Structure formats: structure tokens, C-alpha cells
Amino acid sequence: QVQLVESGGGLVQAGGSLRLSCAASGSFLGINAMGWYRQAQGKQRELVTTITVGGSTNYADSVKGRFTISRDNAKNTVYLQMNSLKPEDTAVYYCNADLKLTMRSRVDYWGKGTLVTVSS
């Protein structure tokens, strides 16, 4: 089975930085896309950023210019560099991977999430 493991969450003051990592492990043929979503307490889960196999990226307007997604294809790992953090960035951040399991199957997988808390 596929497993996504996030790391890097924690407590940081406003204006600070954090770097999240998400490593995909298991048996799959390839990665179509990976990304980060977040869910603040009492709110719906929202897209933060994604990166496709071709390298195309997109960002939520709320994080553009502050967050950067990157990848290490050899390690099947995606990173989220978060700078100039704001209290409103506080949320559980979830890694998502759109994986090609076989030639005929394509499935979304989710990590368990890592908590990012930004204090004022």
C-alpha cells in the first residue's frame, strides 16, 4: 500500500518560516501530481498548492508569493517552504498525491496531516 508521511509542522511566530516535507512510499508507477491542502479549525479543507509531473504549479491567492512548492523526484518527496507566516496560516496541513498505481489505476492518497501553528 502507499503511504504519505508529512513532517516539519510546528509552532512558529508570525513572520517566521517552516518547511514541510511529504514523502510517498510504496509501490506505484508514477506521480501525476502532488500538493498541499490545509484545514483550519472550523473551516473547510482548501487547496494550498500543487505541482504536476510536468512541473506546473499553482497556488492559492492567500499564499502566493510566500509559499513555494518543490519536489525531489528521486525521493518521491514534495516540499512546502512557507515564509512570512501569518496567524491565518494556522491549520493542519495535508499532503496529497495523485498516483498512478498501475497502467489502469489512478488514485488520490492523503497523509495524516501535520499541524502548523502561527502565533501573533
Side-chain angles (χ1 to χ4, degrees):
Q1 190 59 262
V2 174
Q3 184 178 17
L4 302 180
V5 179
E6 302 110 325
S7 63
L11 175 64
V12 65
Q13 292 184 345
S17 299
L18 286 174
R19 182 173 180 261
L20 307 183
S21 299
C22 174
S25 62
S27 182
F28 51 87
L29 296 183
I31 300 173
N32 298 308
M34 295 186 72
W36 293 92
Y37 294 70
R38 68 186 182 186
Q39 186 169 19
Q41 191 171 26
K43 299 182 180 179
Q44 292 183 305
R45 188 173 300 187
E46 65 177 353
L47 172 73
V48 177
T49 178
T50 62
I51 185 167
T52 70
V53 64
S56 298
T57 60
N58 72 289
Y59 297 88
D61 289 341
S62 59
V63 307
K64 192 168 186 176
R66 300 187 297 120
F67 291 10
T68 303
I69 189 170
S70 61
R71 65 185 181 185
D72 184 336
N73 291 334
K75 293 184 175 182
N76 293 323
T77 299
V78 66
Y79 305 94
L80 181 63
Q81 180 65 47
M82 304 185 293
N83 299 325
S84 302
L85 283 162
K86 304 175 181 179
E88 51 262 45
D89 295 319
T90 296
V92 176
Y93 284 71
Y94 296 92
C95 178
N96 172 262
D98 177 7
L99 301 181
K100 184 177 182 179
L101 300 184
T102 70
M103 292 299 296
R104 294 177 55 85
S105 63
R106 176 179 181 175
V107 180
D108 271 355
Y109 284 86
W110 293 89
K112 291 186 176 181
T114 184
L115 178 63
V116 172
T117 303
V118 184
S119 63
S120 60

